[in-house]
Amino acid sequence: MDSPIRRILHPQAVAFVGANNNVTTMGTAQMGNIVDGGFPGRLYPIHPRLDQVLGVKAYRSLDELPEVPDLLVLVVRNEQVIELLDQAGRLGTKHAVVISGGFAEGDDAGQELQRKLISVIRSHGIRMIGPNCIGVLETRHPFNFTYFPYNVQPGLVGLASHSGTYLTHSFPLLRRLDVGLSAGLSLGNEADLDMVDALEYFEHDPHTKAVALYIEGFRRGRAFLKAARRLALKKPVVAMYVGGTPSGQSAAVGHTAAITSDDLLIDNMFRQAGIIRARGPEELYEVANCLALMPPMAGPNIGIITNSGGPAVTAADEAWRWGLRVPRLSESTMIQLRKHMPQTAVLKNPVDLTFTDRHELLLGLLPELLLADPLIDGLLIYGVFSVDFFATSASIKKLVPADVIEGLWTGQSELIDNLRRTIDSNGKPVVGVTMLDRSDRAIRALIDKDLPFFSSPERAVRALAALYSVHRWRALRSGA
């Protein structure tokens, strides 16, 4: 499916107006991210006096360019925008992103300016994102002219946002959460392309497996509902909506001239559309990432594997709040547990190894047994850490030579590979909980094998509940 957003995310020749060599200006930082990000196309900065901008040959005007750019980016004063769009339209440019603010989000004069802007782009057949946005990001092309450099691996979550901050300022947060984006769209005032167009683009984008939305309002409510329903049947959709309270509505109108709706109405709309509602940016990103990586959960029954009682109790407690169950395991599973578990282990669900360094149980036998159990629909694992732990203590390190640690790591690495194969063969979702991070070799290896990890049992259970919601909504839609 051809999409104007696809054309904007994958240009071959870009004209950029509003950058110079002053690093404190917004346009300069944004163009710098194109230069530094490895954009494979041709970039043409436009500046009336400079011969070069950030080391790239500059042109005095759009008329002087050696070719017609297929995308125009504007980071200029609002009164310059319409003339530049008109000029680009006369040259034959068909796509634009207008970063500049001072349009419908402001006073009457700004609203009139936005009406003129719409008239100009329509007269030339230009499709546009903005105004009053922070740019777009495509992670595989790659193409980024948001304000922050994208320093996260390309991922599977497509993000569309009415807020530029929830796109570009979130990059450090995404890095901490180990969430990668396929693409990101800051939509701003949506004078032309809007959230509905974003849904339609992500529906057909092969690199996007789940979609995250930050929404302040709806300009085409029915079209949004229709597009979201269609998308949610193929790819999970998670959304954070603000503007459902009087104070939120007032703030949203001043931010992006949004058309807001009551909070309860939005909850009902999301339920109809199969959209999972998130209550904050961290929940938005990490639940969407989990939905992109794991299959839907076909029932409410979760198994919990742990080597520590507290997190297991917390997970079980939270499961109840989200409508999930922590059932008894089947008798055949219990027979196997009695045969293989240490004497100190708690043999029920949660299965608590108590503290043990037997990684072959935590990463090997236990996931195999519980995922094969017909009474279990999904799995939560707590307690993984790398064998490097044995070398963190100076006194113990003297007893364990480095080659021994590496030998232990080889064995643990094989268990991690086997766990991935077990997950793939069972088709049931698995999530991890850890208070460690990527600096731990085992956690890093599991994350790199697309096992989502969360920093608390509550957040992991929330993601499992979302996986079950996706299955339940699709089953209702299909009449199953």
Side-chain angles (χ1 to χ4, degrees), residues 25-288:
T25 65
M26 186 168 171
T28 305
Q30 292 183 269
M31 184 181 138
N33 286 326
I34 300 178
V35 175
D36 297 338
F39 172 58
R42 300 172 296 282
L43 177 61
Y44 301 117
I46 308 294
H47 197 280
R49 295 176 300 280
L50 296 175
D51 294 327
Q52 288 197 334
V53 174
L54 298 177
V56 181
K57 176 179 170 55
Y59 296 82
R60 294 289 186 267
S61 71
L62 291 169
D63 292 325
E64 294 184 12
L65 295 181
E67 63 179 317
V68 176
D70 44 14
L71 177 66
L72 173 67
V73 180
L74 297 178
V75 197
V76 296
R77 295 194 303 274
N78 59 354
E79 64 265 26
Q80 296 177 276
V81 168
I82 292 175
E83 171 56 31
L84 286 164
L85 282 170
D86 188 45
Q87 189 178 354
R90 291 196 302 271
L91 292 173
T93 298
K94 294 300 182 186
H95 298 90
V97 177
V98 178
I99 309 294
S100 315
F103 290 88
E105 79 279 10
D107 55 15
D108 291 345
Q111 292 171 21
E112 176 58 26
L113 202 57
Q114 183 157 315
R115 282 191 285 272
K116 291 180 180 176
L117 180 153
I118 293 170
S119 175
V120 167
I121 63 171
R122 287 181 178 168
S123 70
H124 293 295
I126 294 174
R127 302 307 308 271
M128 182 196 74
I129 288 178
N132 187 31
C133 68
I134 201 69
V136 301
L137 162 76
E138 214 293 338
T139 59
R140 290 176 175 81
H141 186 39
F143 185 45
N144 171 28
F145 61 90
T146 68
Y147 192 69
F148 276 29
Y150 182 78
N151 55 6
V152 190
Q153 290 296 314
L156 304 176
V157 177
L159 173 64
S161 174
H162 285 146
S163 161
T165 292
Y166 283 125
L167 174 60
T168 188
H169 289 195
S170 293
F171 294 164
L173 174 62
L174 293 172
R175 185 176 179 83
R176 291 198 298 277
L177 296 175
D178 275 300
V179 174
L181 298 180
S182 56
L185 306 167
S186 167
L187 297 170
N189 288 6
E190 299 180 307
D192 181 30
L193 297 168
D194 63 10
M195 195 65 78
V196 177
D197 298 293
L199 295 177
E200 291 173 349
Y201 169 74
F202 287 130
E203 179 185 350
H204 298 283
D205 176 35
H207 300 300
T208 297
K209 303 303 180 187
V211 176
L213 307 174
Y214 169 80
I215 302 172
E216 292 187 352
F218 302 88
R219 301 181 199 282
R220 295 189 288 157
R222 289 185 179 180
F224 174 87
L225 188 59
K226 183 178 178 181
R229 277 180 178 157
R230 191 175 60 242
L231 172 60
L233 285 170
K234 301 175 182 177
K235 304 175 182 181
V237 182
V238 187
M240 177 180 161
Y241 172 74
V242 297
T245 65
S247 55
Q249 289 167 6
S250 175
V253 170
H255 184 208
T256 55
I259 301 171
T260 59
S261 298
D262 179 82
D263 225 16
L264 294 177
L265 184 65
I266 295 304
D267 280 341
N268 186 44
M269 175 196 276
F270 282 7
R271 276 194 294 272
Q272 289 183 49
I275 296 173
I276 295 161
R277 187 166 184 179
R279 296 294 178 176
E282 290 191 351
E283 183 180 338
L284 175 70
Y285 305 136
E286 63 184 3
V287 168

